[in-house]
Amino acid sequence: QVQLVESGGGSVQSGGSLRLSCKVSGNTGSRYCLGWFRQVPGLEREGVAQINVNNYATYADFVKGRAIVSRDTAESTLYLQVDSLSPDDTASYFCAMKRGLFCSVKEVTARDIDYWGQGTQVTVSS
């Protein structure tokens, strides 16, 4: 089993930044992807960023150029920083883990995820 615990959400002004953390614990194995999804009520959960065990990262088009996903292996923590926030970024953000080696954000959907964090709300005000 794997446990994912997010932190760092909250309210941010438009134009500001967010930095989310996800503490990973349990038996991840050696082949897995870590990533972030977000969800707005009434809509499907959508991928934001994915990173593999070699620290190769991919991003959704809507955050490309203003987001960085990173891992601190020693601390078993996943991070997501997003800059230039707009109200469109308001959502619940979820940390996610998928077993395997195929980690492209364009290929990994919510149905592929094996473990989820509890989610953290990010609200961007204009």
Side-chain angles (χ1 to χ4, degrees):
Q1 280 287 8
V2 173
Q3 293 78 43
L4 307 172
V5 180
E6 302 102 334
S7 60
S11 297
V12 186
Q13 292 276 356
S14 185
S17 300
L18 68 82
R19 181 175 168 84
L20 303 179
S21 301
C22 174
K23 183 72 172 178
V24 182
S25 61
N27 183 18
T28 62
S30 61
R31 300 181 177 188
Y32 60 92
C33 312
L34 288 173
W36 294 91
F37 283 73
R38 71 183 190 183
Q39 188 171 27
V40 174
L43 298 181
E44 291 188 359
R45 204 167 285 191
E46 60 181 356
V48 178
Q50 289 284 326
I51 188 167
N52 67 12
V53 293
N54 296 315
N55 290 325
Y56 180 77
T58 57
Y59 300 90
D61 289 342
F62 57 79
V63 294
K64 195 171 291 183
R66 61 187 184 97
I68 297 176
V69 61
S70 60
R71 306 166 63 218
D72 184 329
T73 304
E75 295 293 331
S76 299
T77 303
L78 176 73
Y79 299 98
L80 176 70
Q81 173 144 349
V82 183
D83 300 323
S84 301
L85 291 166
S86 77
D88 289 341
D89 294 311
T90 295
S92 293
Y93 285 73
F94 296 87
C95 179
M97 195 196 98
K98 166 188 169 296
R99 296 199 183 279
L101 296 175
F102 298 102
C103 301
S104 169
V105 70
K106 293 186 184 298
E107 297 176 354
V108 177
T109 70
R111 289 185 296 274
D112 299 318
I113 298 302
D114 296 300
Y115 299 98
W116 292 100
Q118 81 281 6
T120 185
Q121 177 67 33
V122 173
T123 302
V124 184
S125 57
S126 58

